[in-house]
Amino acid sequence: MLVDPDPPAAPVLGSNSPICSNTTLSFTATTTTPGTATWLWTGPNNFISTDQNPTIPNVITAASGTYAATVTILSCI
């Protein structure tokens, strides 16, 4: 098994929650290696996004719950 002696730093994830219905839910993600990451956000109400910083405009209560991000940096998960 090959181990990278200097792996990239883990991304920092965030959001503007909690928010009220009919406003915009925004997610943020930062990484120390810009342009080298791919993103997969998933969540309630069949939410899926490959944007680094996705938003859900006019959010409804069905969007309440836990969201997750899978980030691949330089082919490392």
Side-chain angles (χ1 to χ4, degrees):
M1 179 164 100
L2 182 62
V3 177
D4 186 344
D6 189 24
V12 177
L13 307 177
S15 74
N16 65 333
S17 67
I19 62 169
C20 297
S21 293
N22 299 316
T23 59
T24 298
L25 176 57
S26 300
F27 299 98
T28 57
T30 61
T31 180
T32 58
T33 52
T36 61
T38 58
W39 307 87
L40 177 61
W41 291 85
T42 58
N45 205 30
N46 298 314
F47 176 76
I48 295 175
S49 177
T50 57
D51 293 340
Q52 179 175 344
N53 300 301
T55 61
I56 304 174
N58 301 312
V59 72
I60 59 175
T61 55
S64 298
T66 301
Y67 289 79
T70 301
V71 184
T72 303
I73 301 174
L74 299 172
S75 301
C76 301
I77 296 177

